[in-house]
Amino acid sequence: MRLRILGSNGGVGGHRRTTALLLDDDVLIDAGTGAADLTIEEMARVRKVFLTHAHLDHVVGLCLLLDSVNAVSEQPVTVHGLETTLDAISSHLLNDVVWPDFRKIPAPDDPSVVLLPMAPGEVQEDRGRTVTMLEACHTVPAAGYLVGGSGGTMAVSGDTGSCPEFWQALNASDRLDLLVVEVSFPDSKAELARMTGHHHPASLAADLEHLTHRPKIGLTHLKPGLEEEIEADCRRVLAGRDVRILRGGETFTI
């Protein structure tokens, strides 16, 4: 499997792009502003999108992608997520007010997008890969994903704070080669992180103590303007682990 980081920031401004991860060339995990950096041809190859939750920074790219490729793509994009996530997208985005309802464009029997809910523990299989939904803990219903292929296994947390169920699910996996996990605020803003359902370095370090695997760790969702402080905290509390801040444009082979 190949994982391309399209967006990994916790906001926009300058070079920053919000969360969008391209798996091989046909699957997106989240569709934030980073998805807009794909070419039209690359967008048209995306056949499935797995959303972690309904917040705008993780879904806005989906709306723009559908608009860009609906006239050139022959198959609909299938979007998976929690039922509450998909309900929010249906009610608040694809509602013919904020954005066109691409579930009936170009026609109800020929849609540009199909929304299919998943539940934690449910598995989707496609092209030799398995994608398992995991529980996450955020201010809205949220999920992570465990992705397995012939070469290895990776997990994506999406937005989450401390969440025992997430780590229990990872420990149940036979292997874990790469963990993409958020850390949004520095330790000086620990209370803000807690209130908004995010990790800060100390809370992430505490949760990682529950993980039996020793994967490579890619950190995402650092809030704009706080990156240097977050990185300094991470160097201190995550010393000894294989950790790096993920940057847009990076590619990993698993």
Side-chain angles (χ1 to χ4, degrees), residues 149-168:
S150 59
T153 302
M154 59 164 283
V156 177
S157 74
D159 285 8
T160 188
S162 185
C163 192
E165 296 83 1
F166 179 76
W167 304 104
Q168 290 166 8

